[in-house]
Amino acid sequence: MLGQYFSSRHEWENQDNNPLPKEFEVDEVGATSAPLLSASYFIGARCRPYNDDFLKCKDENNGGTIECLKEGRRVTRCAVSVLTDLNKHCFDSFKLHYECLEQNNHHLGHCRSSEKIFNACVFQNLKLSKEIPGVAKDKQIHLNENPIYQGTSNDKKLSSDFLKVHEKN
Amino acid sequence: MQDLPPIGGYEPVQWKRNLPSRGFRPVIYFWLISGAMGYGFYRFYQGVDEQRELTREKQWARFFLQPLLIAEEDRNTARRYFSELKRQELVKESMSDEMKAKFEEEIYHDKSKLRLPRYTAGGPASEH
């Protein structure tokens, strides 16, 4: 109504809302940052070939925004498959871990207790393990039992509560 | 009249100096402080190593997610690119031949890269 009188109040209508052509559409990931960070190493473990393929395509095609849509869809589908599996098999511990990350400024080092539970569950069900490239297997930071920087004890408490509840069931 | 000593006599005169204890030998303080500092430095550099590994962990987590985020972003850019092509076709339909020839002239002679639509007219802030 006021748009008639004040040009700054115009509702712009030339916004580009046209959908992507059907053949390029794919189910989007739609996860927020904390679950993605929590799942990142498992996405990396399963989707490394697809990721590398996509980035290689981008590199070879000078950006390759249009050329690499197919590889991009593969990357997205693979990541979605990991997240679906995590939700199916390890939903509780996944949630425990990403909520901890959410509460601790996304510091992975502050959520080791819940991460331990989560990693064990993922390894048991999906056979994916977290491994940081470039470091020896016994020097991996997430396996350090007595780190200097470990944040608050809240995660330890929540994790032990979680274990108690799950041992009863 | 003469002053006399108090009953029971005077207290003994203190002839010896009453100095406080000087503590340990200096060399013991030297080693104690050196030990404390040494331990401090040891823990500090342990912490430095740990911070480096934590950063590495965070960076690799990001590297594993990056293709996924780029793919999503690319799909949005491609959507706008195809939409722009379609819009140009629509605009062309109602043009005279003269205008159309002008419209179809290439803006850039450099064919090595694709020019993607970069700007969008802003919608209402609530939809962003």
Side-chain angles (χ1 to χ4, degrees):
Chain A
M1 184 194 85
L2 286 166
Q4 289 174 328
Y5 307 105
F6 302 104
S7 61
S8 62
R9 291 214 174 206
H10 271 303
E11 296 230 337
W12 292 93
E13 284 173 8
N14 51 353
Q15 190 178 190
D16 194 345
N17 283 326
N18 296 324
L20 195 69
K22 276 276 178 287
E23 67 268 29
F24 300 126
E25 270 183 2
V26 67
D27 284 339
E28 294 294 351
V29 175
T32 49
S33 57
L36 278 180
L37 179 62
S38 172
S40 60
Y41 275 88
F42 305 120
I43 292 175
R46 188 184 278 180
C47 307
R48 195 92 188 255
Y50 300 102
N51 287 355
D52 288 352
D53 196 32
F54 175 61
L55 292 181
K56 190 154 177 275
C57 172
K58 299 258 312 168
D59 191 32
E60 282 168 358
N61 289 294
N62 191 16
T65 304
I66 308 297
E67 293 89 342
C68 303
L69 282 172
K70 193 172 90 181
E71 283 81 357
R73 264 173 287 150
R74 283 183 187 149
V75 165
T76 305
R77 273 196 216 104
C78 179
V80 168
S81 82
V82 173
L83 287 170
T84 319
D85 282 356
L86 289 179
N87 278 335
K88 196 174 158 196
H89 298 290
C90 299
F91 180 70
D92 294 336
S93 50
F94 184 35
K95 194 175 173 203
L96 182 74
H97 185 223
Y98 77 65
E99 280 184 348
C100 171
L101 288 176
E102 190 116 318
Q103 298 299 326
N104 285 293
N105 267 340
H106 289 212
H107 286 305
L108 290 161
H110 293 188
C111 299
R112 293 294 180 212
S113 310
S114 50
E115 193 189 320
K116 204 171 168 186
I117 302 171
F118 178 46
N119 285 358
C121 173
V122 174
F123 185 72
Q124 203 185 339
N125 291 300
L126 308 182
K127 302 280 171 273
L128 297 174
S129 60
K130 170 173 177 175
E131 196 183 322
I132 304 163
V135 199
K137 269 194 176 173
D138 53 332
K139 294 256 169 65
Q140 302 264 316
I141 187 71
H142 63 284
L143 303 175
N144 188 350
E145 288 294 331
N146 192 19
I148 293 173
Y149 300 99
Q150 41 187 330
T152 62
S153 59
N154 201 25
D155 179 46
K156 280 178 195 162
K157 191 175 146 283
L158 290 175
S159 299
S160 65
D161 290 350
F162 177 87
L163 282 180
K164 264 178 222 159
V165 170
H166 279 252
E167 276 165 11
K168 272 180 200 166
N169 293 343
Chain B
M1 195 70 179
Q2 193 183 346
D3 276 345
L4 289 171
I7 298 159
Y10 291 107
E11 286 176 10
V13 175
Q14 187 190 341
W15 53 271
K16 197 179 172 186
R17 287 172 72 197
N18 195 9
L19 290 172
S21 158
R22 296 275 298 172
F24 300 115
R25 276 179 296 146
V27 70
I28 292 177
Y29 284 109
F30 175 78
W31 285 119
L32 278 178
I33 290 168
S34 298
M37 278 177 63
Y39 181 69
F41 273 109
Y42 169 69
R43 287 293 280 177
F44 172 71
Y45 283 107
Q46 267 189 339
V48 168
D49 286 356
E50 199 177 307
Q51 285 285 8
R52 188 188 58 236
E53 294 305 320
L54 285 170
T55 311
R56 190 202 300 279
E57 185 186 24
K58 193 90 192 218
Q59 284 172 339
W60 276 100
R62 184 69 192 192
F63 297 159
F64 289 142
L65 291 179
Q66 198 69 18
L68 167 71
L69 303 174
I70 297 174
E72 195 170 332
E73 183 69 41
D74 274 1
R75 245 172 276 129
N76 188 33
T77 315
R79 176 183 72 83
R80 283 168 53 195
Y81 175 69
F82 292 131
S83 164
E84 173 70 14
L85 292 185
K86 213 187 281 172
R87 189 186 69 83
Q88 285 180 4
E89 290 300 317
L90 277 175
V91 169
K92 256 189 257 178
E93 272 177 19
S94 59
M95 275 180 173
S96 66
D97 290 345
E98 200 184 325
M99 280 289 280
K100 206 184 275 182
K102 212 172 174 185
F103 186 72
E104 280 173 354
E105 256 178 42
E106 295 279 348
I107 301 173
Y108 300 106
H109 294 293
D110 177 12
K111 301 280 186 298
S112 70
K113 55 187 130 182
L114 190 64
R115 316 276 170 173
L116 296 162
R118 252 181 230 181
Y119 305 106
T120 183
S126 59
E127 286 181 19
H128 282 294

